[in-house]
Amino acid sequence: MVQVALYTPDVKLQHLLAPALGSGFKLVPHSDRDACQQLLFEGETDVLLLDLESEPSTVEKQVKFFEEIRPAGIPTIILTDDGSRQSAVDLVTGGAFGYCRKPPALRELKALITRAHEHGAMKRELKSLGRSGAPRAEGPAERKETLRCDGLIGGGATMCKVYDMIRRVASLNASVLITGESGTGKELVARAIHNLGSRAQAPFVAVSAGAIPESLIEAELFGHEKGAFTGTVGVRVGYFEQVGNGTILIDEVGELPLQIQVKLLRVLQQREFTRLGSGRPIPLRARVLFATNRNLSAMVEDGTFRLDLFYRINVMNIKLPSLVDHAEDIPALADFFLSRYGDQFQKTMAGIAPDAVSLLEAYDWPGNVRELENVIQCAIIRADGDVIQAADLPEQFQQTRRGVADALSDIELTQAGSFERMLREFKFKIAIKAIQDCNGNKTLAARSLAISRAYLHRLIRSQEDSDISDVA
């Protein structure tokens, strides 16, 4: 049962919500500030409902209350009316889980409370894992327990920040701009936002602006009437109309021509559009998300992207890391693709050999997760047995293998201990030798080993941290 605290001076709201939430939720209403605060810090509450009233003095007190109870780490849902809606949005931006308009629609409120509860449980799990200090498991079976978020995979701190942002924005109707390099999973993030929000049962449509000819973009997005332009045979319902109450992702938004940017801005501002060849406005009921791998700020500076549209779509920004920046998730991702494509290619695959995993972790991944997916497909096809070996990886990994073999001939492993410790020592010695051979130039050393400079630094730092912990 989800323990829900309600802090509000409105006695009528207390009496309304207590029986209305029904089974599965236990509501504890409070109008006394100190008593509610004590309850929250005792750790028995899963979700807090914080009521904002329209009077500025009351709103200010409630905002201050939120700041005071924030260290308790309780996911907070703001109840707001039109008079305090902007304050509610500000609180969500500042750390509240989401907001719900008063009087609340019970189905929406229950769904929001459930998602907030799941979000809080995930954060507590992450905190517990962080305190345990347990090393990352290397076995395929253990790696499959990696945390996920609606199709996204990875339990490292970087990806968990992304998950947190997804859950924050899922319940809002605000514009979200998803940025990141090609192949990082921007469409997956958009789908997660859709699936975790109140529109999950409605359609999700992803539109790639870069894949539609410039002359057809407007008709594809907004639709057209018969005879609207040369070559039209009948009526076309555009993507904005097709999606209805669902979610539409405008991918590669930086590829939109300036004249379409102007029309898109007006649609977002007026919340309506018209088909080409028609003067009848059609309400925009969909939630619109945006994604790009381009630097829109730089495009604004050089005049190829409108500043007003940039501000309109960049209300909330989720920046996806490149794969090399969360390399700790590579084994889990590799296992996922191994299972998916092993089944698809009708080959029973048991796992990936440790030396192959090490090569995957050391690689620079310019194509990010999409490249990793392709590499695993290739390795499955090349593998003779049910375990992917280092030799099964594509040619770009074999150069690293040869470099490691050369280094191994000059290095004697004398450190006794577990396999994990010996492997860490071995990687560290290879890194140090490469730096020495390059006269201290870490960039050249990384290049000689065919790894990124960031990964070289992580090798050195992980060994230094291990030495410190051994001394302690």
Side-chain angles (χ1 to χ4, degrees):
M1 182 173 289
V2 182
Q3 304 287 328
V4 183
L6 169 64
Y7 179 46
T8 176
D10 187 345
V11 177
K12 290 183 179 179
L13 184 62
Q14 295 181 12
H15 292 317
L16 169 69
L17 287 182
L21 287 178
S23 60
F25 302 92
K26 181 181 179 181
L27 186 74
V28 182
H30 281 280
S31 54
D32 181 86
R33 178 193 187 94
D34 294 335
C36 184
Q37 195 172 65
Q38 180 179 351
L39 176 71
L40 296 175
F41 278 98
E42 284 176 353
E44 299 298 323
T45 302
D46 296 315
V47 178
L48 169 66
L49 301 179
L50 177 59
D51 180 23
L52 287 187
E53 293 191 293
S54 298
E55 296 181 13
S57 59
T58 306
V59 171
E60 188 176 329
K61 289 179 182 177
Q62 302 293 67
V63 171
K64 185 177 179 182
F65 175 76
F66 173 73
E67 293 300 328
E68 291 173 353
I69 60 93
R70 191 174 176 183
I74 307 296
T76 302
I77 297 170
I78 310 299
L79 301 178
T80 180
D81 53 26
D82 289 337
S84 57
R85 188 175 180 184
Q86 186 56 52
S87 297
V89 173
D90 292 342
L91 285 175
V92 171
T93 305
F97 180 80
Y99 75 86
C100 184
R101 295 184 66 180
K102 295 189 297 183
L106 288 177
R107 180 180 295 180
E108 178 185 349
L109 182 59
K110 286 181 180 181
L112 194 56
I113 291 173
T114 301
R115 292 198 301 272
H117 175 50
E118 292 171 351
H119 172 70
M122 187 193 77
K123 290 187 73 173
R124 288 192 295 273
E125 181 183 355
L126 290 175
K127 193 172 182 180
S128 174
L129 288 172
R131 282 198 300 264
S132 71
R136 176 174 59 79
E138 283 294 334
E142 290 84 354
R143 287 202 298 266
K144 289 178 183 176
E145 298 303 319
T146 300
L147 288 169
R148 301 187 182 193
C149 175
D150 198 79
L152 293 159
I153 298 172
T158 305
M159 286 305 296
C160 286
K161 288 179 181 178
V162 173
Y163 300 162
D164 183 60
M165 285 297 297
I166 289 172
R167 288 182 167 87
R168 286 183 187 277
V169 303
S171 59
L172 303 178
N173 199 32
S175 295
V176 178
L177 177 63
I178 306 164
T179 57
E181 297 176 5
S182 179
T184 51
K186 295 184 287 297
E187 184 175 331
L188 287 176
V189 169
R191 287 185 180 275
I193 292 172
H194 171 76
N195 292 337
L196 295 174
S198 58
R199 301 173 185 265
Q201 302 306 314
F204 174 89
V205 174
V207 182
S208 176
I212 304 174
E214 185 174 331
S215 59
L216 297 178
I217 287 181
E218 186 175 0
E220 291 291 307
L221 292 179
F222 310 128
H224 63 73
E225 297 290 340
K226 182 178 180 180
F229 53 88
T230 304
T232 57
V233 177
V235 175
R236 172 174 174 77
V237 177
Y239 290 119
F240 277 96
E241 197 172 349
Q242 290 176 28
V243 77
N245 289 319
T247 303
I248 183 169
L249 168 67
I250 308 297
D251 198 3
E252 301 180 51
V253 66
E255 305 295 331
L256 287 176
L258 283 170
Q259 65 270 26
I260 302 299
Q261 293 180 30
V262 175
K263 294 181 179 180
L264 177 60
L265 175 63
R266 179 173 177 80
V267 169
L268 297 175
Q269 289 175 333
Q270 302 298 325
R271 299 296 298 176
E272 63 180 26
F273 58 93
T274 58
R275 294 178 186 168
L276 286 176
S278 170
R280 181 177 64 87
I282 301 173
L284 175 62
R285 296 179 289 135
R287 180 179 189 178
V288 189
L289 306 176
F290 304 90
T292 183
N293 59 8
R294 302 185 66 179
N295 186 337
L296 295 187
S297 297
M299 293 181 66
V300 169
E301 291 291 329
D302 62 27
T304 55
F305 199 86
R306 291 183 62 92
L307 179 62
D308 45 9
L309 179 60
F310 176 68
Y311 285 140
R312 172 65 63 175
I313 69 176
N314 193 33
V315 176
M316 300 290 283
N317 177 243
I318 298 179
K319 181 174 175 56
L320 285 178
S322 57
L323 183 54
V324 74
D325 290 331
H326 64 112
E328 66 273 14
D329 294 324
I330 288 174
L333 286 163
D335 278 336
F336 172 77
F337 293 132
L338 185 72
S339 175
R340 169 189 281 184
Y341 292 105
D343 293 341
Q344 184 174 317
F345 298 156
Q346 298 182 343
K347 291 185 69 173
T348 301
M349 303 304 297
I352 305 174
D355 57 342
V357 172
S358 296
L359 290 176
L360 294 175
E361 290 180 311
Y363 184 59
D364 222 8
W365 298 111
N368 295 294
V369 179
R370 186 179 294 125
E371 184 182 5
L372 174 61
E373 182 177 9
N374 293 339
V375 164
I376 297 301
Q377 290 184 66
C378 174
I380 292 173
I381 294 170
R382 294 175 60 168
D384 291 326
D386 61 356
V387 175
I388 289 180
Q389 305 294 335
D392 298 325
L393 297 176
E395 181 57 33
Q396 63 265 36
F397 294 90
Q398 304 311 317
Q399 180 182 352
T400 304
R401 271 187 85 210
R402 289 189 287 270
V404 170
D406 291 342
L408 184 59
S409 63
D410 297 328
I411 294 176
E412 181 181 358
L413 286 174
T414 58
Q415 179 66 51
S418 68
F419 173 78
E420 282 295 323
R421 180 179 178 85
M422 293 178 68
L423 184 61
R424 187 173 61 242
E425 290 277 350
F426 175 55
K427 290 180 179 179
F428 176 72
K429 289 179 179 180
I430 292 175
I432 293 300
K433 185 177 187 302
I435 293 172
Q436 292 172 346
D437 290 344
C438 295
N439 298 319
N441 189 317
K442 293 180 181 178
T443 300
L444 291 178
R447 192 174 300 165
S448 70
L449 294 174
I451 62 175
S452 69
R453 195 173 191 274
Y455 184 72
L456 182 69
H457 278 290
R458 283 201 300 273
L459 287 177
I460 298 171
R461 188 168 61 249
S462 65
Q463 180 64 25
E464 291 172 346
D465 292 343
S466 174
D467 291 342
I468 292 172
S469 64
D470 290 343
V471 172

